[in-house]
Amino acid sequence: MSTPFIYPKNWKTGNSKLLSINWRIQYYFYPPNKGKRKLVVVKGMNTIKNLTERRKYTEKLLHDEIDNNLRGYNAIEKKYTHVIHQEDDLNPYLDFILAYRIAINKMRCTHAHRKNLLWCVNTLEKNVVNLGLQSVTIGQLKRKQLKRLFESLDVTNYTYNKFLGFLSRIYNELLEYECCEINIVRDISKRKVIKKQREILSPDEHKAVMEYLHKNYYEFWRYARIFLFSGARSTELFRVRVNDVDIDNQEYKTIILKGSDPHEVTKVIIEEVVPLWRELLKGAKPNDYLFSRGLKSGKESINSYQITKRWLRLVKTSDKIKDSNGEVLNITADFYALKHSFLDSLPEETAMLIAS
């Protein structure tokens, strides 16, 4: 960053007339990739109408801006950027946010879970300087300081509780490296969350959606049909390779990564969808993923969020799905509602079998 400039120039010495002027701190930020510099302007002091207090707050804003830059804040991307390496050492004397990041990098977890952990830490980091915690090490950090940091977050109660869970998982790693004596997250209370009833599709809506997909988007319909009878999550189906499938014995293997005990399981292929499995296997190579691009078998794995995106694009925002009377249906339920409405329509024993 360039040396920050404060307007007006006489902000430290002028009289009360200065209060009628809009103050600002400005500097140029130079990106690390040598791209185009950006003029950064900070004006948060102008709501204060007492001259002494405005000067104090301006000084604080100035120090905060410098501290944030030193901590790796990129004013163009509006996020902190850190280069973390697997071999980086964990010790009690590290800045606590940096310790969180190194711990995340060392943890054995899925890519999706690692992204959630980083989301939590990135959100917490935004208020570190504001609360004066920028020089606190992981060994020094107290529960009350962390509690204050959590209380400063502008998030829903549900997200607040999720963040507590994510950070507790990070502390389990930090404890093993003797960065701290206890997991200080465990005694921070969760907030109350009203559990909403899951929206499901009515039998008529379910039928209309499946008929529409079968006619217009066959591969998505085929995936939905296999998904409904699989008793698996999308993340698990997307890990299945051709050589994991024993079609003659009507079973397939997949890895369950949810929870702290990853394990391989064998699941049944229900008779109703055997022909659809055979379609996917036809012409596929042993190491191909069963569901790749276009929801066909192929070499590349895809992320399960592709299903959510397709459902939004093809179903929730569609005005072409109609009921038996020709009326347009406004589908607001998510993709997993398809599974719940399907299971609700089956005899109890069959539903329990498919839901594992």
Side-chain angles (χ1 to χ4, degrees):
M1 65 189 297
S2 64
T3 302
F5 165 79
I6 299 178
Y7 177 85
K9 282 185 179 180
N10 62 337
W11 67 280
K12 277 189 174 180
T13 57
N15 59 31
S16 58
K17 289 182 180 178
L18 292 175
L19 290 172
S20 61
I21 300 171
N22 275 332
W23 295 20
R24 67 180 183 272
I25 300 168
Q26 64 182 55
Y27 63 90
Y28 281 105
F29 177 83
Y30 296 85
N33 59 7
K34 298 184 179 177
K36 191 176 179 181
R37 69 182 184 175
K38 177 183 178 178
L39 179 66
V40 178
V41 180
V42 181
K43 297 181 179 179
M45 70 292 283
N46 291 307
T47 55
I48 299 171
K49 302 306 178 186
N50 178 286
L51 187 58
T52 304
E53 291 302 315
R54 188 183 287 195
R55 282 174 177 149
K56 281 183 185 175
Y57 193 64
T58 300
E59 196 132 23
K60 180 185 181 303
L61 287 176
L62 176 65
H63 289 308
D64 286 355
E65 212 60 34
I66 293 169
D67 278 345
N68 280 327
N69 272 270
L70 288 171
R71 290 172 57 80
Y73 184 74
N74 186 317
I76 295 174
E77 296 179 5
K78 298 191 183 304
K79 66 179 183 181
Y80 289 88
T81 54
H82 303 271
V83 179
I84 306 295
H85 303 287
Q86 190 78 28
E87 63 274 11
D88 285 345
D89 187 34
L90 273 171
N91 62 71
Y93 311 106
L94 287 169
D95 161 281
F96 73 96
I97 291 289
L98 181 58
Y100 291 162
R101 293 186 182 282
I102 296 174
I104 290 169
N105 201 50
K106 290 181 181 293
M107 287 163 61
R108 294 169 65 90
C109 60
T110 64
H111 175 69
H113 187 56
R114 185 170 278 108
K115 277 183 72 174
N116 281 332
L117 296 173
L118 286 170
W119 168 45
C120 169
V121 173
N122 289 341
T123 307
L124 288 170
E125 187 169 26
K126 290 176 183 175
N127 291 341
V128 165
V129 172
N130 242 5
L131 296 177
L133 300 174
Q134 62 269 33
S135 58
V136 179
T137 67
I138 189 63
Q140 294 171 330
L141 187 67
K142 306 289 187 209
R143 185 183 296 109
K144 66 179 180 181
Q145 292 173 313
L146 188 58
K147 170 75 172 173
R148 281 176 55 224
L149 189 53
F150 265 95
E151 292 292 342
S152 72
L153 300 180
D154 182 21
V155 294
T156 64
N157 288 358
Y158 174 80
T159 302
Y160 181 96
N161 293 344
K162 292 294 281 185
F163 279 2
L164 284 177
F166 293 152
L167 205 60
S168 185
R169 174 78 177 84
I170 294 169
Y171 265 91
N172 289 340
E173 190 77 10
L174 293 169
L175 282 169
E176 292 186 20
Y177 282 92
E178 299 182 349
C179 292
C180 44
E181 294 298 320
I182 57 169
N183 183 340
I184 61 175
V185 183
R186 284 181 184 160
D187 290 323
I188 297 178
S189 301
K190 287 188 174 183
R191 291 176 174 175
K192 287 186 178 178
V193 176
I194 297 171
K195 202 167 184 180
K196 293 184 179 178
Q197 233 179 355
R198 180 184 284 274
E199 184 179 0
I200 66 169
L201 299 173
S202 70
D204 287 344
E205 287 174 333
H206 182 102
K207 184 179 180 216
V209 167
M210 292 301 282
E211 285 178 354
Y212 172 75
L213 292 178
H214 184 255
K215 183 178 178 181
N216 297 281
Y217 304 100
Y218 179 79
E219 285 78 13
F220 192 27
W221 170 83
R222 179 174 61 191
Y223 172 77
R225 190 84 175 140
I226 288 173
F227 169 80
L228 292 175
F229 280 98
S230 69
R233 302 176 184 88
S234 288
T235 49
E236 293 154 15
L237 283 174
F238 283 9
R239 290 189 200 107
V240 177
R241 294 179 188 261
V242 170
N243 54 15
D244 294 323
V245 181
D246 182 352
I247 196 67
D248 294 329
N249 288 312
Q250 290 183 217
E251 60 187 31
Y252 68 97
K253 291 178 181 176
T254 187
I255 297 170
I256 309 288
L257 293 179
K258 191 170 173 121
S260 57
D261 181 29
H263 57 284
E264 187 178 69
V265 296
T266 300
K267 288 182 173 279
V268 173
I269 299 172
I270 304 292
E271 187 71 42
E272 283 87 341
V273 288
V274 168
L276 300 181
W277 283 79
R278 289 192 186 278
E279 281 181 25
L280 286 165
L281 294 170
K282 191 175 181 181
K285 295 176 181 176
N287 213 35
D288 282 353
Y289 288 96
L290 201 65
F291 296 103
S292 184
R293 291 192 173 195
L295 296 177
K296 303 172 185 176
S297 55
K299 293 179 182 179
E300 296 179 35
S301 65
I302 57 173
N303 290 316
S304 59
Y305 73 79
Q306 294 286 346
I307 298 303
T308 304
K309 286 171 70 176
R310 281 173 187 264
W311 181 261
L312 175 65
R313 181 167 52 87
L314 304 180
V315 177
K316 291 179 88 169
T317 58
S318 174
D319 59 358
K320 297 175 183 175
I321 303 174
K322 298 178 181 179
D323 62 17
S324 55
N325 298 318
E327 296 290 325
V328 173
L329 292 173
N330 178 29
I331 305 295
T332 56
D334 61 24
F335 178 73
Y336 271 79
L338 196 67
K339 184 176 187 176
H340 289 276
S341 62
F342 172 68
L343 292 175
D344 283 353
S345 70
L346 298 175
E348 190 176 350
E349 284 186 20
T350 309
M352 287 175 68
L353 172 68
I354 291 174
S356 302

